[in-house]
């Protein structure tokens, strides 16, 4: 997989995690579960990207 796609996915994940922190810890209160879910999605984005990249690279070996 192209390195630029990996870098872009990490930046997107960073912004998603920052958005989740904003939702979880800023008023109005009560949105904490949604914020934590957004943070979890932000953590899984680079993991999934690296997994797909590894699958794509192993196919060509």
């Amino acid at each position: 997989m192209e390195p630029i796609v990996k870098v872009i996915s990490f930046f997107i994940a960073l912004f998603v995690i920052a958005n989740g922190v904003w939702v979880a810890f800023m008023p109005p209160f009560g949105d904490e579960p949604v914020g934590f879910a957004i943070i979890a999605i932000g953590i899984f984005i680079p993991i999934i990207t690296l997994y797909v990249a590894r699958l794509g690279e192993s196919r060509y070996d």
Side-chain angles (χ1 to χ4, degrees):
M1 184 175 274
E2 296 292 325
I4 190 71
V5 174
K6 293 177 188 176
V7 171
I8 289 173
S9 74
F10 282 110
F11 279 121
I12 289 172
L14 177 70
F15 289 125
V16 169
I17 291 171
N19 186 17
V21 169
W22 178 267
V23 169
F25 297 112
M26 289 299 190
F29 295 104
D31 294 335
E32 289 84 7
V34 174
F36 294 139
I38 293 171
I39 292 170
I41 291 169
I43 292 171
F44 282 115
I45 288 173
I47 293 171
I48 293 171
T49 302
L50 293 175
Y51 179 73
V52 170
R54 184 173 297 163
L55 286 177
E57 291 171 358
S58 67
R59 187 181 322 158
Y60 295 113
D61 287 341

